[in-house]
Amino acid sequence: MGTPTDLSPAARQAAGVCTADALAARYRSVRERSIELASPVSAEDAMVQSMPDASPTKWHLAHTTWFFETFVLATLPGYRVVDEAWQVLFNSYYQSVGPQHSRPMRGVLSRPSLAQVLDYRARVDARIADAFARDELDVALRQRIELGLHHEQQHQELLLTDILHAFSCNPLRPAYRDDLPVSHTAAGAQDWRRFDEAIVDIGIDRWPEQPAFAFDLESPRHRALVGAFAIATRPVTCGEYRDFIRDGGYRTSTLWLSEGWAAVQANDWQRPAYWRDDERAFGLGGVRAIDDSAPVSQLSYYEADAFARWADARLPTEFEWERAAQGVEVDGNFVESGRLQPAGDARDGLRQMFGDVWEWTSSSFLPYPGFRPWDGALGEYNGKFMVGQQVLRGGSCASPRDHLRASYRNFFPPHARWQFSGLRLAKDLA
Amino acid sequence: MGTPTDLSPAARQAAGVCTADALAARYRSVRERSIELASPVSAEDAMVQSMPDASPTKWHLAHTTWFFETFVLATLPGYRVVDEAWQVLFNSYYQSVGPQHSRPMRGVLSRPSLAQVLDYRARVDARIADAFARDELDVALRQRIELGLHHEQQHQELLLTDILHAFSCNPLRPAYRDDLPVSHTAAGAQDWRRFDEAIVDIGIDRWPEQPAFAFDLESPRHRALVGAFAIATRPVTCGEYRDFIRDGGYRTSTLWLSEGWAAVQANDWQRPAYWRDDERAFGLGGVRAIDDSAPVSQLSYYEADAFARWADARLPTEFEWERAAQGVEVDGNFVESGRLQPAGDARDGLRQMFGDVWEWTSSSFLPYPGFRPWDGALGEYNGKFMVGQQVLRGGSCASPRDHLRASYRNFFPPHARWQFSGLRLAKDLA
Amino acid sequence: MGTPTDLSPAARQAAGVCTADALAARYRSVRERSIELASPVSAEDAMVQSMPDASPTKWHLAHTTWFFETFVLATLPGYRVVDEAWQVLFNSYYQSVGPQHSRPMRGVLSRPSLAQVLDYRARVDARIADAFARDELDVALRQRIELGLHHEQQHQELLLTDILHAFSCNPLRPAYRDDLPVSHTAAGAQDWRRFDEAIVDIGIDRWPEQPAFAFDLESPRHRALVGAFAIATRPVTCGEYRDFIRDGGYRTSTLWLSEGWAAVQANDWQRPAYWRDDERAFGLGGVRAIDDSAPVSQLSYYEADAFARWADARLPTEFEWERAAQGVEVDGNFVESGRLQPAGDARDGLRQMFGDVWEWTSSSFLPYPGFRPWDGALGEYNGKFMVGQQVLRGGSCASPRDHLRASYRNFFPPHARWQFSGLRLAKDLA
Amino acid sequence: MGTPTDLSPAARQAAGVCTADALAARYRSVRERSIELASPVSAEDAMVQSMPDASPTKWHLAHTTWFFETFVLATLPGYRVVDEAWQVLFNSYYQSVGPQHSRPMRGVLSRPSLAQVLDYRARVDARIADAFARDELDVALRQRIELGLHHEQQHQELLLTDILHAFSCNPLRPAYRDDLPVSHTAAGAQDWRRFDEAIVDIGIDRWPEQPAFAFDLESPRHRALVGAFAIATRPVTCGEYRDFIRDGGYRTSTLWLSEGWAAVQANDWQRPAYWRDDERAFGLGGVRAIDDSAPVSQLSYYEADAFARWADARLPTEFEWERAAQGVEVDGNFVESGRLQPAGDARDGLRQMFGDVWEWTSSSFLPYPGFRPWDGALGEYNGKFMVGQQVLRGGSCASPRDHLRASYRNFFPPHARWQFSGLRLAKDLA
């Protein structure tokens, strides 16, 4: 594994390569963000596991810490793990590392307490700070820290969507924060952005061989032939989605994939996950009026696909999406905006490619040609999930801005609807 | 409904009939006991629902309070419930009162917080105290308080067995209390107590028509012809149960009821619920050596029945058990002993009829001849569960002493094994 | 085991004790009845297993044959079983005999064919006839044949109720027979038959120690104290049950056992199993108008219990039922009537105690005091099912007349509703 | 829809375009093949539905007939369907046509009988023959007949794999045919066929706009950039797969996709679906010695993927597979060989691309760029299944030869393992 030392500081920063000091600062900043995001949540809230797919806040805080302990600190001479038993409790799915506590049983873990988990974080953070100070971290370990921070950012988003799901199951419908701003921005008109057939470079060169961080699943960069297509200039809004509902979208079998129709029937789906029948919806700010201008979210893949069919369009492939996103600045409504909900965007032109809602693509989550998982246990990070899932692109109002990029691939099973997941239409060009 | 006013204070006390002052004192004492039992449990522990059959500690604390609020305070002029939404959250199963929060989803209720629930308790307790002070409570309401206290005592036991189950699902195996005493008392020999055929009075006259509290399911008192039988002088011990295991009890289909054998196969049962394969078992005091002299507990009905068959005996009927218990003092190892686990009893003669472990009987939970549920919503207390369950008798190390009596009927489905449930053998006399 | 040789032929016949010749004749007759009952059913029909609780016609024909082969022929010197593999296929639940084919997978057994099974029957019957002719059968084996015939009669009824269920799942709703007569008999008024408190002899002395056949579960004969009660002179009719439906019975939670209400909700029960929403019902004669005068059937225990509560009455205990049935002639609408559906009975007085519909009792299926299962594998016949089931009494329009008696105990789980199961009301007498 | 009339007869035949006479002849031939394939199966065998994913033989025979009746005959003036109720029973999943009998309940359909279904076939065939004779069929209807024949060929293969599954669930393990030949051909060595990066034409122009039949999902023909790769010259053999097993393949979590490992654990998979632990396997010829030279089959996608990882290779994409198959003659071990099991092929070079086993590809089943389902109800044929499935290519020993082509896309969910499904390795070329 080559070390990228021959870059100027500016170039390094541009490429995402941190000096040790910058990395240490970034470590502190990302780790503090997690604490900040968890701060509106009580120790009791932090316990709730409302479904097997979601995890308690406390578990997110602990697991991300376990990640640094296991993949960084445990490799340092003389390091003793904080608690042997926690190696099992907070291992998510790394078979190579060892056994795991049963995922659907994360909600029984009243012990360790949130206070203990916060102490665990503090101890690991202190030891990492020490390691930076003593220059104990070689390039490989610094890279693992870099990875650990991106890993933590993923869990920051899940922390938000999981606590939102937990609260949605409580009839009291508690607000994660009751001081969230209300957006008044109208959505501009939807137009189409056209692209001719081209051979496009997709993905990104493998990190850390190149210095800008990316997950293994985004590599290798490779060429793909992408036919002519048009893509909508903005995501589908709540107002547009309501038209679909009013037009009988949820009662028209021919609009749906077979599995999707079965899900509609079995679960009596009639609207997005957190919409109610009174023109209001539940979100991190509690129950509020639905903002017709905001991108619709909390959709399953089945719903996104059915809407697109109803609209006489289709979902974009992930390659089409990436092509459209190439060169677009990573700007928009991210977690940093403090809105924590999608919002309208009145501008013209291709917009909201990043932030607001993850956009379901028609692409299944599959390896790129020549894909190699990272070596060792970290090879379990992404590769083993490459079946039965669909790719989403772009990031959401719950994603950290510096976590995203045009090549970023998110993935969820098609029935998942507790994320800030929406859609952008696409269509063929003859 | 007649008022029992013509008894001397001593007679009233003996009969369990309280003066208003005595009832108010008893109210405070029982309510405080719940707080005391919950005190080793953190707010996070108090959240855990480890299976649909068990409830979080916090829910027990709230539901018992809801009981007093709904059935006593809400009938007082001008009373406003503390929170309308909680009427749904903390209603267990009273269809007549209104809708209920889904039972398997009690673990998502991070809100209200434990602190709020404790405050709820304090507010309801203060209002009840006020009502006593102002003499607002007529006989009927005082009787409902009496009932509410027995109801709360039932939940005190469940609070303990449910938190024990919750902790048993946490790989850290936290102890509810790590200062529980270890028993060193050997079990005396088992002998048989013989009874001739007789017509026996079973059950108890209906409360509150007579003043000593009893649940509706214990009435009416009625005569039954009980054939000659012998009953073991003490419950089966852990040591005896180990012999059953070593003799292949869990591998011998012919010892089991058909449903029981199916449960053994499906769940791979090999020993009582909290026994481990290292001669230790998990309990409220954490993981400890199995005490061979203590009555075995955490058995399903299937296991109790199979053991009895292996021992060439049978379970007693609930009438046989009650006949044997009639006249026996309610004395033994109850929650007040502070042991919180069954213990050996070296005495001779019929013993441990009360306390230590609930004893499975061969009787299904059915109405007594002439059974009438209480009027109104309280009629849902017991009667609607009279199918698919087996009767247990005697009380356990987690039961309050003054909650028990010879006529007391507990009931659980035959697969339940998270209670302090064991067995006492019986046999026919030719 | 004593041999009942000291009875006159008449006494023997009265007691059900057969001479070898009479037994051989009865063997032929019962075995032929099975073939006759299966004759309207094609080889394809005879394959269907429409739910795990039901068995294909072919399997009934084979299993009853296996019973004679296993428990009679296989004990004869030199006997070779027809097919070793069938010992597994057609063993229902006798763990002592050996492994069993998975019950819910009986519908995959296209092989052996119906023709092979009929041939199997013929070969076993021939060998049994031979054994009679050569006087190879000692008393014990003749008793096993007697038992086998009663066993076969039980399966004759199941053959009918199982094929009815199978046909009910076929949208074509095929009739088992389309030539069944239509009853025009009005039901007489319901009255009450009163009984004072008494000590009653329940059950029957153990067979074969006494010569009249009875299943082990009917023994030992024992005394029971039965309080004063009244029992309805006839079963509840379809017309009366429709009143319950129209009065909102299926929408009134307080009428139901908790488990029953859960079943109503989960399965959307709105009427008896084979009733439709057009005043017609499906039966062995196909879809026909509901006969308001006929006893209602295809009820679960939950429905019978809810109806009784709605009617301000209750179900009888099995002891009450047996007391009322003692001395009543076993007469009525049995399989021999050829109706194959319950029918009205215009007579006065206590009637329809036998035939028409099995009557759910409030008694759980439990062992009688002193119950001993038969020795050996046949001890698995009944005893191991003594949990989680309710007793039904009286027999139905699908039962053979000579299979029934006042002491006969049938049993099914409370949710079962594919039998000819109805109810007769009872009430307390003050 | 253009009519392909401007081709010479030879060109038409080459292109698969039939004259009416040729189509009528092909109709007879395909329809007779179904009868022939069903002929070793008794009416009872033809009833069995051994799992929800599989259908009874009889249902296949009826459904394929329903297809012609619904999509061809029902459009002719004056046609009366043979039985209205069968329109529901034999509709598989066409929501646009009307309601469907519940899929998992196909096994209860003893009526209509196999004889009736054969008569149904005869009547529909006669009417179709008539229509040909009277020249009632316009081009559009002739195209639907063409489609119906390919549809029937798909069901011919399912008929075989479904009856094989049914028989595999019968402990008697009946052979579909006991006269199947045993192969003695050794497998030649595996080599690699290399391909450079290229832009490749994938798929086929949309039928019926062009005359050679293809399913809608194979269209449109479009260009794709396929990187350099190598593909194995033959499928993986049973002998090679046994090495994987012996090397602990089924016990090594890191070889598996996460979902695959969960399936291994949950179902205790230890070998391919019909392999036994005695070096023998069950097949259409009964239980036979495993032929080490034959391609391994009855693998799930998970197993194919894990084997490839173990072999330090990967599965090909469907584009890679198609590229390799382009220009390869459709020759091999098909249903016409009468073997009905995969067999070794001792030749050199790229071989067994068609026949023997369907080859799992790493491609999810997704629409091609510009995909349009057929119009109307037939648009439900394929498009609505485009989620959660993987593509298989090449055809099997149970496929009709003239049903296959290089562009043919089969698809199954990744856990499916009752097909003749195996794999061929691929790898990247640097």
Side-chain angles (χ1 to χ4, degrees), chain B residues 85-303:
Chain B
W86 300 1
Q87 302 303 303
V88 174
L89 291 188
F90 301 128
N91 179 357
S92 50
Y93 52 65
Y94 293 87
Q95 308 273 3
S96 316
V97 172
Q100 303 115 48
H101 180 64
S102 165
R103 180 177 183 129
M105 293 297 274
R106 289 177 183 163
V108 306
L109 299 177
S110 57
R111 316 282 179 96
S113 67
L114 178 59
Q116 284 177 292
V117 165
L118 293 175
D119 181 63
Y120 178 37
R121 290 183 70 90
R123 291 171 67 175
V124 164
D125 288 353
R127 187 66 190 84
I128 293 273
D130 244 32
F132 273 114
R134 296 183 195 160
D135 203 15
E136 293 175 299
L137 303 167
D138 63 13
V139 169
L141 290 180
R142 291 208 303 275
Q143 284 161 347
R144 286 184 165 195
I145 287 176
E146 178 79 15
L147 169 59
L149 295 175
H150 285 278
H151 171 258
E152 181 134 359
Q153 289 183 312
Q154 292 181 314
H155 280 276
Q156 287 169 356
E157 177 152 5
L158 292 173
L159 184 156
L160 289 171
T161 54
D162 289 357
I163 196 71
L164 176 56
H165 188 268
F167 284 164
S168 81
C169 295
N170 186 328
L172 303 180
R173 301 286 184 276
Y176 164 77
R177 280 179 47 185
D178 51 18
D179 58 349
L180 295 184
V182 174
S183 171
H184 296 291
T185 310
Q190 181 197 288
D191 202 351
W192 297 95
R193 179 77 170 269
R194 285 148 199 281
F195 292 87
D196 290 333
E197 188 190 64
I199 289 182
V200 182
D201 281 322
I202 294 294
I204 189 167
D205 288 337
R206 185 177 160 101
W207 175 89
E209 286 83 344
Q210 63 82 12
F213 178 81
F215 286 105
D216 56 357
L217 59 85
E218 301 170 59
S219 296
R221 186 164 178 83
H222 65 285
R223 297 186 306 148
L225 178 61
V226 178
F229 70 100
I231 195 165
T233 49
R234 62 157 173 75
V236 169
T237 63
C238 291
E240 289 160 351
Y241 198 82
R242 183 189 285 109
D243 291 341
F244 166 72
I245 298 173
R246 290 192 174 149
D247 196 41
Y250 282 91
R251 298 189 305 272
T252 308
S253 68
T254 48
L255 293 173
W256 297 78
L257 288 165
S258 182
E259 267 188 27
W261 184 242
V264 166
Q265 302 293 302
N267 305 297
D268 195 25
W269 286 349
Q270 303 188 32
R271 54 187 78 88
Y274 299 147
W275 284 27
R276 301 153 46 110
D277 59 3
D278 64 354
E279 304 290 304
R280 296 193 297 164
F282 183 65
L284 289 166
V287 176
R288 296 181 169 202
I290 292 169
D291 175 4
D292 276 3
S293 297
V296 62
S297 71
Q298 269 78 39
L299 296 186
S300 65
Y301 175 75
Y302 304 130
E303 290 161 295

Side-chain angles (χ1 to χ4, degrees), chain C residues 102-268:
Chain C
S102 166
R103 181 179 182 129
M105 294 295 276
R106 288 176 184 164
V108 306
L109 299 178
S110 57
R111 317 283 180 95
S113 67
L114 178 59
Q116 285 176 291
V117 165
L118 293 175
D119 180 63
Y120 178 36
R121 289 183 70 90
R123 291 171 67 176
V124 164
D125 289 353
R127 187 66 189 82
I128 292 274
D130 242 31
F132 274 114
R134 295 182 199 160
D135 203 14
E136 293 175 297
L137 302 166
D138 63 14
V139 170
L141 289 181
R142 292 208 303 274
Q143 286 161 345
R144 287 183 163 197
I145 287 176
E146 177 81 14
L147 168 59
L149 295 175
H150 285 278
H151 171 258
E152 181 135 359
Q153 289 183 312
Q154 293 181 312
H155 281 276
Q156 287 169 355
E157 177 152 6
L158 292 173
L159 184 155
L160 290 171
T161 54
D162 289 358
I163 196 70
L164 177 55
H165 188 268
F167 284 164
S168 80
C169 296
N170 187 328
L172 304 179
R173 300 286 184 276
Y176 165 76
R177 280 179 45 185
D178 50 19
D179 59 349
L180 294 185
V182 174
S183 171
H184 297 291
T185 310
Q190 182 199 288
D191 201 350
W192 297 95
R193 180 76 170 271
R194 285 147 199 281
F195 292 87
D196 291 330
E197 188 190 65
I199 290 184
V200 181
D201 281 322
I202 294 293
I204 189 167
D205 287 337
R206 185 176 160 102
W207 175 88
E209 286 82 343
Q210 63 82 12
F213 178 81
F215 286 104
D216 55 358
L217 58 86
E218 300 170 58
S219 297
R221 185 166 179 81
H222 65 285
R223 297 187 306 147
L225 178 61
V226 178
F229 70 99
I231 194 163
T233 49
R234 61 157 173 75
V236 170
T237 64
C238 291
E240 289 160 349
Y241 199 82
R242 183 189 286 110
D243 292 340
F244 166 72
I245 298 173
R246 290 191 175 150
D247 196 41
Y250 282 91
R251 298 188 306 272
T252 308
S253 66
T254 48
L255 293 173
W256 296 79
L257 288 165
S258 182
E259 267 188 27
W261 183 245
V264 167
Q265 303 292 301
N267 305 300
D268 195 25

Side-chain angles (χ1 to χ4, degrees), chain A residues 96-400:
Chain A
S96 316
V97 173
Q100 302 115 50
H101 180 63
S102 165
R103 180 177 183 131
M105 293 296 275
R106 288 177 183 164
V108 305
L109 299 178
S110 57
R111 317 283 179 94
S113 66
L114 178 59
Q116 284 177 291
V117 165
L118 293 175
D119 180 63
Y120 178 37
R121 290 184 69 91
R123 291 171 68 175
V124 164
D125 289 352
R127 187 64 190 86
I128 293 273
D130 243 32
F132 273 113
R134 296 183 196 158
D135 203 15
E136 292 176 300
L137 302 167
D138 64 13
V139 169
L141 289 181
R142 291 208 303 273
Q143 285 161 346
R144 285 184 164 194
I145 288 176
E146 178 79 15
L147 169 59
L149 295 175
H150 285 278
H151 172 257
E152 182 135 0
Q153 288 184 311
Q154 293 181 313
H155 280 276
Q156 287 170 356
E157 177 152 6
L158 291 174
L159 184 155
L160 289 171
T161 54
D162 289 358
I163 195 71
L164 176 56
H165 188 268
F167 284 164
S168 81
C169 296
N170 187 328
L172 303 180
R173 301 286 184 275
Y176 165 75
R177 279 179 47 184
D178 52 19
D179 58 350
L180 294 185
V182 174
S183 171
H184 297 291
T185 310
Q190 181 197 288
D191 202 351
W192 297 94
R193 180 77 171 269
R194 284 147 200 283
F195 293 86
D196 291 333
E197 188 190 64
I199 290 183
V200 182
D201 281 323
I202 294 293
I204 190 167
D205 287 338
R206 184 177 162 102
W207 174 88
E209 286 81 345
Q210 63 82 13
F213 178 81
F215 286 105
D216 56 357
L217 58 86
E218 301 170 58
S219 297
R221 185 165 178 83
H222 65 285
R223 297 187 305 148
L225 179 61
V226 178
F229 71 100
I231 195 165
T233 49
R234 61 159 174 73
V236 170
T237 64
C238 290
E240 289 160 350
Y241 198 82
R242 182 189 285 110
D243 291 340
F244 166 73
I245 298 173
R246 290 191 176 150
D247 196 41
Y250 282 91
R251 298 189 304 272
T252 309
S253 67
T254 48
L255 293 173
W256 296 79
L257 289 166
S258 181
E259 267 188 28
W261 184 243
V264 166
Q265 303 292 302
N267 305 298
D268 195 25
W269 285 349
Q270 304 188 33
R271 53 187 78 90
Y274 298 147
W275 283 27
R276 302 153 46 112
D277 58 4
D278 64 355
E279 304 289 304
R280 296 193 296 163
F282 183 64
L284 289 166
V287 176
R288 297 183 169 199
I290 292 170
D291 176 3
D292 277 3
S293 297
V296 63
S297 71
Q298 268 78 40
L299 296 186
S300 65
Y301 176 75
Y302 303 130
E303 290 161 295
D305 173 82
F307 178 91
R309 194 167 291 111
W310 173 79
D312 205 18
R314 60 170 172 82
L315 299 176
T317 68
E318 63 167 326
F319 291 175
E320 290 169 343
W321 191 96
E322 185 165 335
R323 183 175 183 202
Q326 285 170 351
V328 174
E329 189 186 358
V330 179
D331 195 12
N333 177 17
F334 302 110
V335 71
E336 290 86 353
S337 78
R339 274 185 178 132
L340 301 184
Q341 56 210 356
D345 183 336
R347 291 176 300 174
D348 283 338
L350 187 68
R351 58 197 183 276
Q352 294 172 288
M353 290 293 285
F354 297 98
D356 286 307
V357 294
W358 287 101
E359 301 176 11
W360 285 108
T361 74
S362 65
S363 299
S364 291
F365 178 44
L366 294 174
Y368 284 169
F371 168 69
R372 278 187 306 118
W374 287 319
D375 294 335
L378 288 168
E380 296 188 54
Y381 200 111
N382 289 306
K384 73 182 183 184
F385 301 107
M386 289 177 170
V387 70
Q389 315 220 42
Q390 292 297 115
V391 173
L392 303 99
R393 292 296 196 113
S396 83
C397 59
S399 313

Side-chain angles (χ1 to χ4, degrees), chain C residues 39-63:
Chain C
S39 64
V41 163
S42 71
E44 288 155 279
D45 297 334
M47 275 287 299
V48 182
Q49 181 174 41
S50 49
M51 64 171 171
D53 284 343
S55 293
T57 300
K58 182 167 70 178
W59 191 90
H60 287 299
L61 295 176
H63 165 67

Side-chain angles (χ1 to χ4, degrees), chain C residues 249-292:
Chain C
Y250 282 91
R251 298 188 306 272
T252 308
S253 66
T254 48
L255 293 173
W256 296 79
L257 288 165
S258 182
E259 267 188 27
W261 183 245
V264 167
Q265 303 292 301
N267 305 300
D268 195 25
W269 286 350
Q270 302 188 34
R271 53 188 78 88
Y274 299 146
W275 284 27
R276 303 152 46 111
D277 58 4
D278 64 354
E279 306 288 305
R280 297 194 296 163
F282 182 65
L284 288 166
V287 176
R288 297 182 170 200
I290 291 170
D291 175 2
D292 277 4

